[in-house]
Amino acid sequence: MKKLYKPILFVSAIACSTSLFTACRNTGKPTEEKVTVVQKDSLTDYVANRLPIYERVKLSTNLNQLSVNDRKILPLLIQAAEIMDELYWKQAYPQRDSLLATIKDEKTREFVNINYGPWDRLNNDKPFVAGVGNKPEGASFYPYGTTKEEIEKAELTDKYGAYSVVKKDSLGKFITVPYHVLFASELQRASSLLKQAALIAEDAGLKKYLNLRADALVTDKFTASDYAWLDMKTNGLDIIIGPIENYEDKLFNARTSYEAYVLIKDKEWSKRLAKYVKLLPELQKNLPVPAKYKTETPGTDSELNAYDVVYYAGDCNAGSKTIAVNLPNDEKIQQEKGTRRSQLKNAMQAKFDKILLPISRELIDADQQQYIKFDAFFANVMFHEVAHGLGIKKTITGKGFVREALKEQYSWLEEGKADILGLYMVTGLLKKGELQGDIKSYYTTFMAGILRSVRFGVSEAHGKANMQCFNYFAEKGAFERTSKGTYKVNFEKFASAMNELSAFIITLQGNGDKAAVEKTQKEKAVIPATLQQDLDRLTRKNIPVDVVFEQGVDVLGVK
């Protein structure tokens, strides 16, 4: 197996180098003695400046709501999640241990762990370890140095498979290896832990799901467990586990990464949210697009739930932390049965308190800061996830599912669709009296949310989506930047820009026009200089960009 990256040794502070590290110079004195001038390592400085963008948050919840058996299950689920974390490292940066062994600076080691590798995920994947080069678009899913064209021309039965990697055999020919073969040992351990948890589980739905998911991990056949997960209704504990999202595969947006969330359901909040999924078909009919783009009927046989998350692992823990989940990703299941939208309430509250409020005080117009509300933030995030079920899943041009037609351009545009259709849903539900509050709160908090998310950088799907929205709204006059360097929402133009952007994105998806989406990304998913200056102000004010969790059995007080 060819290694993806060669670990690069950090240069000693007293060594000569022509790189960004230390420098030695001759004083010009007529003596054999040379004077060494020790300079600070500029990459170490970079890390020292970037590390504070993460605010440390203890991830905990009230465990008194759990039964005795559920408390016994919880450590088993966390152990299984920890294995997903190890597998994600193998996908994102397989040489973790050899890399960390070369790094003496503790802050750099910590930053590597936060980013699951030597690239700053919230700064367009900028390398922060000397010599590693740019991040490969294909991570470790494809042989290092392989181009898209080589894969496209190769004769592979599982060319764009979600659960396999592409390798070269001894003759240099491309082959695919299934995850359950490549990671057999780790997956068997995780499967056994889920089976143990299933033996203890009292809830019938949870027991069935854990057994089926355990089987799925060692076969890469996830459909049955996805259906069982959607069928769970009365469980208090939950775990989302497996290879799920394809953000890490920037070559084709095809191959999935391992992750896990260990969740405790907030049954009272979940009960309050249940009614909204039933309104999807009516909202679909009223989308601001021609009829041919909204003929699909969203599935409604699923739930909208609120949880406290007690453990993040793998993909969802890398860089920016996920605060809401819409699964499963299988379009056929989505059309037939729908999805479950999981709102991670405690993580959401932490981001609101530690990040969104401070951003708003700095960048939102003083007269509109009164409209920044947690309930509006929660709703905007929630309806973002619900809105994944709206719109169009299959192209109207015969190009198959939108995901297949758009390939690596799919994820960022889909996130943009969910952002804007989530706001469209809020607007519609307020008019119908199905949602309470002031539209000004939802729109102003949405604007603040854009300013929060664009700090993730445009190398990440959500960052691209938010930049598209920012630039589109700016063109339509939906907000203005005041002479004080703050942003002020124009509520009437905000609503019309929302409808126009909704139509624009759904049309792009329905046409399956990959070239048009690429053009849109290049034109709209960019950060203007003025906005970058404003974002830099947030950094100078030491306002965090995201959070990093203290988590695990010790934090929770379980064994």
Side-chain angles (χ1 to χ4, degrees), residues 100-340:
L100 290 175
T102 70
I103 298 174
K104 306 306 178 187
D105 179 63
E106 286 302 316
K107 290 182 178 179
T108 301
R109 292 171 64 86
E110 184 178 355
F111 208 50
V112 167
N113 283 319
I114 290 172
N115 286 280
Y116 288 76
W119 299 284
D120 188 347
R121 289 176 179 268
L122 302 192
N123 189 16
N124 305 319
D125 289 326
K126 176 184 173 66
F128 57 86
V129 174
V132 298
N134 293 328
K135 184 177 181 179
E137 290 186 330
S140 65
F141 301 117
Y142 310 91
Y144 180 56
T146 302
T147 65
K148 288 180 66 173
E149 292 72 24
E150 287 178 294
I151 299 296
E152 288 170 342
K153 292 177 182 177
E155 295 181 5
L156 290 167
T157 55
D158 196 30
K159 185 180 295 187
Y160 305 119
Y163 309 119
S164 68
V165 299
V166 177
K167 292 183 174 291
K168 286 184 178 179
D169 63 15
S170 58
L171 300 177
K173 181 182 177 182
F174 287 120
I175 59 171
T176 57
V177 181
Y179 286 178
H180 72 271
V181 173
L182 187 65
F183 305 123
S185 175
E186 296 93 336
L187 292 172
Q188 187 57 60
R189 286 192 288 117
S191 177
S192 296
L193 287 163
L194 295 188
K195 292 280 189 181
Q196 291 178 50
L199 286 173
I200 304 171
E202 298 167 310
D203 183 84
L206 178 62
K207 182 185 289 288
K208 179 181 179 181
Y209 165 64
L210 290 173
N211 276 317
L212 288 173
R213 201 65 176 180
D215 294 337
L217 287 176
V218 295
T219 61
D220 292 327
K221 296 177 181 178
F222 292 94
T223 302
S225 63
D226 282 342
Y227 277 111
W229 183 69
L230 289 174
D231 286 338
M232 285 195 303
K233 306 294 182 186
T234 57
N235 56 304
L237 275 181
D238 198 353
I239 183 169
I240 297 170
I241 185 168
I244 297 170
E245 303 291 358
N246 45 26
Y247 301 125
E248 196 71 21
D249 178 6
K250 290 185 171 65
L251 206 60
F252 289 104
N253 201 229
R255 291 180 155 81
T256 52
S257 300
Y258 283 95
E259 66 180 351
Y261 307 79
V262 180
L263 307 167
I264 297 175
K265 186 186 290 184
D266 187 321
K267 293 184 178 180
E268 288 304 312
W269 269 76
S270 297
K271 189 182 296 183
R272 289 162 54 188
L273 304 178
K275 65 178 180 179
Y276 295 119
V277 175
K278 303 301 180 185
L279 300 172
L280 279 175
E282 182 180 350
L283 289 162
Q284 174 83 355
K285 290 178 184 177
N286 294 325
L287 287 173
V289 290
K292 61 183 178 180
Y293 292 100
K294 52 183 179 181
T295 58
E296 298 174 4
T297 302
T300 59
D301 187 25
S302 56
E303 292 182 293
L304 180 59
N305 289 327
Y307 299 87
D308 277 346
V309 56
V310 294
Y311 201 85
Y312 282 80
D315 187 59
C316 61
N317 195 44
S320 61
K321 309 303 183 292
T322 305
I323 54 177
V325 186
N326 177 57
L327 293 171
N329 285 329
D330 188 314
E331 289 94 342
K332 293 179 181 178
I333 298 176
Q334 288 180 3
Q335 286 185 318
E336 179 181 334
K337 199 171 181 67
T339 60
R340 172 172 290 140

Side-chain angles (χ1 to χ4, degrees), residues 25-74:
R25 69 182 184 189
N26 194 320
T27 63
K29 294 179 181 179
T31 172
E32 292 183 359
E33 181 183 1
K34 292 182 179 180
V35 178
T36 300
V37 178
V38 179
Q39 296 182 349
K40 280 192 175 182
D41 180 343
S42 63
L43 288 181
T44 303
D45 285 348
Y46 173 84
V47 170
N49 289 328
R50 291 290 289 169
L51 193 57
I53 72 171
Y54 290 94
E55 179 80 12
R56 288 204 160 268
V57 173
K58 187 171 290 189
L59 204 55
S60 61
T61 189
N62 180 10
L63 298 182
N64 292 331
Q65 58 191 303
L66 294 180
S67 68
V68 173
N69 274 26
D70 280 349
R71 291 195 195 189
K72 293 178 181 177
I73 291 172
L74 192 55

